[in-house]
Amino acid sequence: MTYTLHRVFCATPGGLEPERQAFHEVVGQVNETEGMPQSILLVPVSIVPNMVNKLAFQPLVEANVQACKFFVQVLHTTWGPSARNFESEYNLACRLKTDLASPMEDISLFFKAADGLQVEPGVLQLRSSVQLQQDCAAYEFASLDEYRKHLRAQLSAWLRTAKP
């Protein structure tokens, strides 16, 4: 059987490794239950957990984002340390989404509850700006199970719009 492949980039700054792993698990589950019957597979793309400095690989990271159809940005209280910060990739995905020549179709943001922790001003600004936008899905979650539930719903929605 032949499958149509759609790449999905997941950007997680340091400290969100459980969410990155859950991303890969949920993509596999969605592929098995929903994608395969439609002859569509979502291909998960992310930075490996032991890569603490992505800057040396920046051109490759950007090329991966440019090749993706969907982009998932997960944030907690910060964009992360400069060596593992995905703010530029998020901005790249936003530009690509408006470029008709790009395969990028959609972006979703996932905000982990701060639980009283100090949140970086840039993350607060993004949260408030997303609430005003109609064309960007944003989810808040307090637990890994809640993140999985929201992520699964988003991936399923993307599969419904994807063409084999």
Side-chain angles (χ1 to χ4, degrees):
M1 177 172 255
T2 304
Y3 292 98
T4 301
L5 305 177
H6 298 297
R7 295 166 56 99
V8 183
F9 193 96
C10 181
T12 54
L16 294 174
E17 179 56 20
E19 286 78 6
R20 190 194 70 79
Q21 288 178 359
F23 165 76
H24 285 271
E25 293 164 8
V26 172
V27 168
Q29 294 164 359
V30 169
N31 279 339
E32 185 177 345
T33 59
E34 300 173 49
M36 290 176 78
Q38 297 179 53
S39 299
I40 300 172
L41 291 177
L42 298 175
V43 179
V45 182
S46 68
I47 301 298
V48 295
N50 58 353
M51 183 184 294
V52 294
N53 186 353
K54 72 175 181 65
L55 299 177
F57 302 97
Q58 193 62 40
L60 295 172
V61 174
E62 290 173 7
N64 272 290
V65 172
Q66 291 169 342
C68 287
K69 188 169 189 136
F70 305 112
F71 188 91
V72 170
Q73 177 69 64
V74 186
L75 293 167
H76 187 208
T77 58
T78 178
W79 280 101
S82 61
R84 184 142 173 144
N85 178 309
F86 285 95
E87 187 172 9
S88 66
E89 287 78 9
Y90 169 75
N91 291 325
L92 173 60
C94 290
R95 287 192 306 276
L96 292 170
K97 184 179 173 188
T98 63
D99 180 354
L100 297 177
S102 165
M104 185 67 66
E105 286 188 8
D106 206 5
I107 299 166
S108 285
L109 293 152
F110 294 82
F111 295 100
K112 186 174 184 175
D115 294 330
L117 298 173
Q118 180 80 20
V119 179
E120 193 174 84
V123 174
L124 289 173
Q125 181 181 4
L126 179 61
R127 268 189 178 180
S128 63
S129 72
V130 167
Q131 291 172 348
L132 301 173
Q133 297 174 10
Q134 299 290 342
D135 65 339
C136 186
Y139 304 90
E140 291 194 27
F141 65 97
S143 69
L144 202 51
D145 285 339
E146 191 176 359
Y147 167 69
R148 283 185 171 110
K149 182 182 100 178
H150 291 311
L151 179 61
R152 184 175 184 105
Q154 182 61 70
L155 294 173
S156 294
W158 284 340
L159 269 180
R160 284 191 297 277
T161 65
K163 294 174 180 64

